[in-house]
Amino acid sequence: MQGHTPRRRFGQNFLADPHYVRRIVDAVNPQPGEALVEIGPGLGALTAELIARAGHLYAIEIDRDLAARLRERFSETRLTLFEDDALRFDFTRLSAELSTPLRIIGNLPYNISSPLLFHLAHNIASLRDLHVMLQKEVVARMAAKPSTPDYGRLSVMLQAKFAITRLFIVPPGAFSPAPKVDSAVARLTPLGERAPQLADESLFARLVAAAFAQRRKILRNALAAHCAPDDLRAAGIDPQARGENLAVDDFVRLANRLARDG
Ligand code: SAM
């Protein structure tokens, strides 16, 4: 660990197995000239390999001690380091400054994985793709299909914006310190023109949250504060169904109908 005591509050489990470092960077396939942004470079396992292949990297690290070590190890011409909180980082601004969409890479701190994915989804117009490593269960939820146990708010909110591919599992032994759970690497690619058009994004988000707030509730009850059973029927949705039974397109249709009807 080269003298660094891992900080649990920053979700620090460092990748220590070169085999998985290579597999992740192979999956990214970074090229010189691309705007590559690593979230949480930590001790630099992925950072070094990304720089070796692409020549230059942007990175966002919240831990001051690690940021200082990274500055010592990598020159400014190779690594542009933002000592910042990725949850508040303005990805849209960086992309605008560089006049190119960003490629995001990260062995993400597991304690903030969902809010970070939502923050990235909010900046989607500035992203080319994401390669992220997360707890295996979180990746299963991201990629889950309707009427399966893993399908929920995270699945709908992300699948409305991204095509999501599970790439491979990374076992606890690949990290130091080893986490208690398996991890998985996922690729998220913005749907672009294939993305469903949302008349009111925040209404869509509120409906999805309400539909899954209590999984076992049928929709006529779960969405009672938002719409009547007739609104559900008019959108082609059975009021007796549960949120977990609706496809992403069903949520989109309902939200757009309610937005249209005011
Ligand atoms: N990328 C390194 C690796 O693969 O070994 C470290 C991964 S470790 C799971 C997560 C990293 O994200 C740590 O370096 C941690 O300090 C950093 N981090 C945690 N919260 C962060 C935040 N809000 N913004 C930026 N970096 C953060």
Side-chain angles (χ1 to χ4, degrees):
M1 194 74 40
Q2 306 150 19
H4 175 77
T5 306
R7 296 193 163 99
R8 282 177 67 118
R9 73 176 187 283
F10 290 148
Q12 292 179 353
N13 297 94
F14 299 104
L15 200 51
D17 183 334
H19 168 73
Y20 286 103
V21 171
R22 261 197 314 277
R23 274 188 82 176
I24 293 169
V25 179
D26 282 350
V28 177
N29 189 22
Q31 301 295 322
E34 292 177 340
L36 300 154
V37 182
E38 186 184 2
I39 297 177
L43 290 168
L46 291 167
T47 320
E49 187 66 20
L50 289 163
I51 289 176
R53 299 212 203 170
H56 177 267
L57 180 73
Y58 296 88
I60 308 159
E61 175 57 63
I62 200 169
D63 185 319
R64 250 189 237 174
D65 297 341
L66 291 177
R69 295 165 71 113
L70 289 158
R71 283 204 184 89
E72 269 175 31
R73 180 165 167 200
F74 301 101
S75 73
E76 280 178 35
T77 53
R78 296 278 176 224
L79 179 68
T80 305
L81 185 64
F82 301 99
E83 201 177 307
D84 207 344
D85 180 347
L87 284 173
R88 292 197 310 221
F89 189 79
D90 193 342
F91 293 94
T92 299
R93 183 170 162 188
L94 178 61
S95 169
E97 280 170 8
L98 301 173
S99 305
T100 189
L102 310 176
R103 304 195 69 200
I104 306 290
I105 304 108
N107 169 13
L108 298 186
Y110 293 168
N111 47 348
I112 57 161
S113 53
S114 291
L116 193 50
L117 289 167
F118 284 128
H119 179 54
L120 287 162
H122 203 65
N123 286 265
I124 191 159
S126 59
L127 307 180
R128 188 177 124 191
D129 58 17
L130 286 79
H131 290 80
V132 289
M133 178 149 59
L134 295 155
Q135 220 170 301
K136 184 178 76 176
E137 288 74 14
V138 176
V139 173
R141 282 166 42 212
M142 287 160 59
K145 297 290 167 226
S147 302
T148 64
D150 288 326
Y151 188 68
R153 179 175 171 230
L154 192 64
S155 332
V156 177
M157 294 304 293
L158 292 180
Q159 291 173 30
K161 297 196 167 201
F162 297 98
I164 301 173
T165 315
R166 269 187 282 189
L167 296 177
F168 50 89
I169 302 287
V170 183
F175 301 87
S176 174
K180 292 197 176 69
V181 291
D182 278 336
S183 302
V185 178
R187 177 183 295 134
L188 285 77
T189 313
L191 291 171
E193 289 183 354
R194 288 175 295 144
Q197 295 300 307
L198 285 168
D200 180 341
E201 288 225 11
S202 104
L203 173 62
F204 174 75
R206 289 199 303 277
L207 283 177
V208 175
F212 289 105
Q214 286 168 281
R215 285 189 76 88
R216 302 308 300 162
K217 262 197 183 178
I218 58 171
L219 289 168
R220 68 179 296 148
N221 296 333
L223 298 182
H226 299 273
C227 59
D230 277 348
D231 296 318
L232 291 166
R233 282 189 209 97
I237 293 166
D238 177 1
Q240 299 297 117
R242 298 190 167 89
E244 63 193 16
N245 305 125
L246 298 197
V248 174
D249 284 348
D250 294 324
F251 281 108
V252 172
R253 214 170 45 251
L254 177 63
N256 284 350
R257 193 175 183 93
L258 295 177
R260 196 192 62 197
D261 295 348

